Amino acid sequence: MTERCDLLITNVHAATMDPSLPGAYGAIEDAAVAVTGNRIVWIGPRRELPETAADQIVDGEGQWLTPGLIDCHTHLVYGGHRAGEFARRLGGESYEDLARAGGGILSTVRSTRAASAADLYRSAEPRLKALIREGVTTVEIKSGYGLDLDTELKQLRVARRLAQHHPVNVTTTCLAAHALPPEYDGRADDYIALVCDEILPAVAKEQLADAVDMFCENIAFSVEQCQRVIDAAHRLDLPVKVHAEQLASTGATRMAARASALSVDHIEYITDEDVAAMAESGTAAVLLPGAFYTLKETRVPPVDKLRAAGVPMAISTDLNPGTCPIASLRLMMNMSCNLFGLTPAEALAGVTRAAARALGICCSRGVLRAGLRADMVLWPMESPDQLAYELGALQPADVFFGGRHVTAG
Ligand SMILES: [Zn+2]
């Protein structure tokens, strides 16, 4: 470290989430963190801090510092809402029934196509701000409610623009293969051709997506159709992610693993062979307990097997108007413990280190370590176990975004 840094935080405990440090949180008690520019340049026990001058010194008052939280799977740019469908599901209709009757995703497609970019921005902003208030500093946002070239581009441009006006990193994912648009009814292969030959190349040309996603499920697209989307993404040098095995076992996870996918998401119905394939390919699991809860599912993802195989387990909101209209990543941490059996430390890893893996950004974010981006949250708590345990009252005291102090509690 040089003798001078921009920001020095002392008198904190750091839950670094660095797996090379001992303990589930990689904790450093009585730590100091030095930042220059937007990077951490030194972190360790305060007593080992080299002599250094700092432009700004923050006294952490014995609170805990964590990496900025990462919500790695959201659909937060959309038109309208589906509260009416919520009521119908409470009356006994299933998600599949509603989807087959033209509701579900397709009702949001109609609203999103009808909305202007300004409308989409205005309705998405409060959702993004709710996440930011909870200490989220990186959000992935998917398209997939356009299902035509213009609307897919519109959604992705809005996602990019949200990042320009808020203290948050946004990664974008093109999910044009989310559902079959009504004008292609009975012609799924033709729609996949549109996705591969027109939508993805246009998205790539404008550099609007960091990855490509697809919904591989009996009510969406087959493994063969998704393989065509993967091939098209790879021709454009874009990594892939897959909504896989949420409602049934389909083989989607093994397809994703063969394609070295960044993540497979949902995965309630994966098999032992699928887990082995993920471990082999380094593909992360993204667990979405909010969708599981909303759909009143009973089959949980095989957390014990994923843990035993060393598959990184990310946790995300899946924030979307149908199956998880809940803009709270902290609630998802709590649900991942109560519904899926994760430990509080695994829940925090799921929204930091593992979420960074699921987005392919673990070289820059998700852990507090010298050289990585200084996205950090200071929490007024005595133990990092409180993050998954305590909701509502426990809020960030301070957030540092790229080393810049952006909120004070
Ligand atoms: Zn999703």
Side-chain angles (χ1 to χ4, degrees):
M1 186 172 72
T2 51
E3 288 141 22
R4 181 159 204 97
C5 64
D6 294 336
L7 168 68
L8 182 63
I9 305 173
T10 62
N11 191 22
V12 284
H13 307 302
T16 67
M17 307 316 291
D18 186 337
S20 68
L21 296 178
Y25 290 105
I28 304 172
E29 304 230 344
D30 195 8
V33 184
V35 174
T36 292
N38 63 7
R39 303 274 148 192
I40 297 169
V41 290
W42 192 90
I43 180 166
R46 177 162 52 161
R47 63 180 182 278
E48 295 175 14
L49 177 71
E51 184 114 2
T52 186
D55 289 349
Q56 186 194 0
I57 295 176
V58 170
D59 180 352
E61 298 174 348
Q63 301 176 98
W64 278 86
L65 193 71
T66 69
L69 307 188
I70 300 172
D71 195 351
C72 66
H73 178 142
T74 86
H75 308 249
L76 69 79
V77 174
Y78 59 82
H81 66 83
R82 284 170 26 209
E85 190 181 299
F86 174 59
R88 286 174 65 182
R89 269 195 288 105
L90 292 172
E93 291 179 62
S94 74
Y95 181 56
E96 290 99 323
D97 291 340
L98 291 161
R100 290 206 176 90
I105 291 170
L106 291 185
S107 78
T108 300
V109 170
R110 287 190 291 276
S111 315
T112 305
R113 285 179 175 178
S116 69
D119 291 339
L120 289 179
Y121 184 96
R122 264 194 299 277
S123 63
E125 191 175 38
R127 298 174 199 127
L128 182 65
K129 284 185 168 174
L131 294 173
I132 292 170
R133 274 198 300 277
E134 288 196 318
V136 171
T137 53
T138 297
V139 181
E140 185 250 23
I141 302 177
K142 302 177 194 294
S143 65
Y145 293 124
L147 312 183
D148 62 29
L149 176 60
D150 289 349
T151 317
E152 290 290 309
L153 293 174
K154 178 171 70 180
Q155 272 194 282
L156 292 168
R157 288 183 194 126
V158 168
R160 289 277 201 234
R161 196 149 60 82
L162 283 163
Q164 289 164 11
H165 299 285
H166 298 88
V168 68
N169 310 289
V170 172
T171 73
T172 53
T173 302
C174 182
L175 177 59
H178 191 196
L180 189 63
E183 62 273 22
Y184 278 84
D185 194 22
R187 296 189 295 130
D189 283 325
D190 290 347
Y191 178 63
I192 291 295
L194 176 79
V195 171
C196 295
D197 300 341
E198 294 186 34
I199 297 179
L200 292 181
V203 164
K205 188 169 173 218
E206 237 184 278
Q207 297 189 334
L208 283 174
D210 303 300
V212 171
D213 197 351
M214 59 214 74
F215 192 17
C216 191
E217 202 69 60
N218 295 332
I219 59 166
F221 297 104
S222 69
V223 166
E224 293 72 25
Q225 288 161 343
C226 288
Q227 184 64 55
R228 288 167 59 196
V229 177
I230 288 173
D231 293 342
H234 285 175
R235 282 196 295 276
L236 297 163
D237 273 336
L238 288 168
V240 298
K241 311 168 72 67
V242 183
H243 281 67
E245 288 162 302
Q246 177 186 12
L247 306 170
S249 194
T250 61
T253 297
R254 266 165 290 165
M255 168 192 69
R258 280 194 302 276
S260 301
L262 293 173
S263 68
V264 286
D265 302 39
H266 290 291
I267 62 168
E268 279 85 345
Y269 284 83
I270 56 170
T271 63
D272 291 358
E273 297 78 57
D274 296 329
V275 173
M278 291 168 73
E280 171 87 23
S281 64
T283 298
V286 177
L287 308 182
L288 304 164
F292 171 92
Y293 158 83
T294 301
L295 294 176
K296 299 185 181 176
E297 295 285 348
T298 52
R299 169 111 167 203
V300 300
V303 163
D304 290 347
K305 289 173 179 167
L306 292 165
R307 181 188 289 131
V311 174
M313 293 185 285
I315 310 296
S316 177
T317 58
D318 196 12
L319 180 48
N320 77 81
T323 61
C324 194
I326 302 172
S328 173
L329 190 57
R330 295 276 313 291
L331 176 56
M332 300 305 136
M333 292 173 68
N334 177 267
M335 285 184 176
S336 74
C337 297
N338 276 322
L339 300 178
F340 292 169
L342 271 68
T343 66
E346 285 173 329
L348 183 56
V351 297
T352 55
R353 184 177 74 224
R357 272 287 292 273
L359 294 177
I361 55 171
C362 52
C363 56
S364 66
R365 277 166 264 172
V367 166
L368 300 180
R369 185 192 291 150
L372 271 61
R373 211 182 128 85
D375 292 345
M376 309 179 289
V377 185
L378 193 61
W379 302 91
M381 60 187 182
E382 293 173 8
S383 158
D385 285 345
Q386 286 172 258
L387 282 176
Y389 153 80
E390 194 174 327
L391 297 170
L394 177 59
Q395 299 291 340
D398 282 302
V399 176
F400 301 90
F401 178 66
R404 189 162 51 91
H405 190 196
V406 289
T407 63

